[in-house]
Amino acid sequence: MHVVRGYKAELDLNNEQRTACLKHAGVTRFAYNWGLARSTFKKKSKGIGSFRLTGSIHVFPDAVQLPRLGRLRIYEHGFIPTNAKILSATVSEQAGRWFVSIQVEEEQEKPAPTTTMAVGVDLGIKTLATCSDGMSFENPRALKHAQKRLKRLERQKSRRKKGSKNRAKTCRKLAKQHARIANIRKDAAHKLTSYLCKNHAMIAIEDLHVAGMLKNHCLAQAVSDSNFGEIRRQLEYKSNWHGVHLTVIDRFSPSSQTCSCCKWKDEGLTLSDRVFVCLDCGYVADRDYNAAKNIRNVAVSSIDTQNACGQKSAGLFNGASETVLVEAGTNQRYGLSINV
Ligand SMILES: [Zn+2]
């Protein structure tokens, strides 16, 4: 199957090349603003922006050759494939660093998951993700940790005279901090989603109402620091790449309150209760781990009921069993009527 992918690498520019890139971005901004003359303009102070190039683009292990800009070195050697069909190149700036993103079309084998595991994932604020297979991923809380530095820089900026060089210097420092926060968040999300997609045949997550959570003033900062939207976006495209079945379960499913062993419900469970104790069967587990197992169970049983094949499907994903059978020699999982 054809897959369009973007490979982004940082450029190692000399002064002349940096000026050329700035000019290109300036011209693009001018053209954009000319078209938008009646509404909001793209301000240079909001970032230098980016520009997209098509035409004669070549990739070398240590450089890219772009129309009019010539050969530009990149920091990460051998990352961008040199023999793929190149569609376009986008050059962008972020907090003083320049990047090139090469969009290529690749031929990819129809993916077949290498494992048979089904996993449920409970996303949270303290622990970014708790998986039903026992793995958990810490939340780096990048914004929270940078808060002190950000406030100091914001104060410094407000003291500097508008239009002065010192104010511009502080603005650059602030932009760098914000870029760093974004990078830490993205890194955590990539590590989590890659682990999930490379090691499982099926992933179940909850359909979190992120926009609603952001409206809650007390939750907003922690939620945006957790990057739930980005995690969902990455899971959607990576599950496609790896041939993994992604199931999103209803957000009103009582995953935290239900016992993952016997389905008993603890109606009185509050957010501060970190341990789930079942008063029926005596099961005791970390609250998030219990929720992750429930998420997996709900997804698995919904597939079991959807399954058209019938035979051998019942119970395969169920209960404490982590595994899903794969029919030998094929990619067809019993109990899954999926098209990958
Ligand atoms: Zn129980």
Side-chain angles (χ1 to χ4, degrees), residues 259 262 278 281:
C259 171
C262 71
C278 178
C281 73

Side-chain angles (χ1 to χ4, degrees), residues 241-293:
W241 284 356
H242 295 276
V244 175
H245 188 72
L246 178 69
T247 309
V248 182
I249 71 158
D250 184 17
R251 71 175 71 126
F252 298 111
S253 169
S255 57
S256 298
Q257 290 105 315
T258 311
C259 171
S260 58
C261 286
C262 71
K263 307 270 188 300
W264 176 79
K265 263 191 204 131
D266 183 354
E267 308 277 2
L269 195 83
T270 62
L271 255 177
S272 56
D273 297 329
R274 300 313 304 168
V275 177
F276 179 88
V277 181
C278 178
L279 296 183
D280 196 9
C281 73
Y283 178 70
V284 180
D286 172 70
R287 173 208 177 91
D288 296 339
Y289 179 61
N290 179 57
K293 280 173 88 173

Side-chain angles (χ1 to χ4, degrees), residues 7 58-60 78-86 102 104 106:
Y7 289 87
H58 298 284
V59 177
F60 306 97
F79 167 62
I80 308 172
T82 48
N83 48 7
K85 186 185 167 194
I86 296 168
I102 306 282
V104 302
E106 287 179 329

Side-chain angles (χ1 to χ4, degrees), residues 167-328:
R167 190 178 162 107
K169 232 189 259 174
T170 310
C171 286
R172 274 202 297 277
K173 278 188 196 163
L174 256 174
K176 241 182 192 176
Q177 274 302 325
H178 282 295
R180 195 181 133 78
I181 292 167
N183 285 344
I184 293 173
R185 280 179 184 167
K186 227 178 199 175
D187 179 60
H190 273 299
K191 279 176 181 153
L192 166 66
T193 53
S194 287
Y195 165 77
L196 290 173
C197 293
K198 282 181 183 167
N199 297 293
H200 302 92
M202 178 185 147
I203 301 165
I205 52 167
E206 254 181 322
D207 178 21
L208 293 174
H209 183 38
V210 179
M213 286 172 171
L214 289 174
K215 277 185 196 152
N216 180 336
H217 186 68
C218 306
L219 274 179
Q221 199 183 67
V223 169
S224 61
D225 215 5
S226 305
N227 223 359
F228 294 143
E230 175 67 14
I231 290 172
R232 169 90 178 259
R233 189 189 72 85
Q234 288 182 12
L235 276 179
E236 273 164 11
Y237 75 75
K238 284 188 191 178
S239 61
N240 251 337
W241 284 356
H242 295 276
V244 175
H245 188 72
L246 178 69
T247 309
V248 182
I249 71 158
D250 184 17
R251 71 175 71 126
F252 298 111
S253 169
S255 57
S256 298
Q257 290 105 315
T258 311
C259 171
S260 58
C261 286
C262 71
K263 307 270 188 300
W264 176 79
K265 263 191 204 131
D266 183 354
E267 308 277 2
L269 195 83
T270 62
L271 255 177
S272 56
D273 297 329
R274 300 313 304 168
V275 177
F276 179 88
V277 181
C278 178
L279 296 183
D280 196 9
C281 73
Y283 178 70
V284 180
D286 172 70
R287 173 208 177 91
D288 296 339
Y289 179 61
N290 179 57
K293 280 173 88 173
N294 279 322
I295 292 169
R296 185 199 65 205
N297 293 348
V298 169
V300 162
S301 57
S302 78
I303 282 175
D304 275 349
T305 39
Q306 278 169 26
N307 174 37
C309 307
Q311 88 275 31
K312 280 202 177 186
S313 69
L316 272 181
F317 290 100
N318 265 342
S321 152
E322 288 276 351
T323 49
V324 180
L325 288 184
V326 174
E327 195 176 353

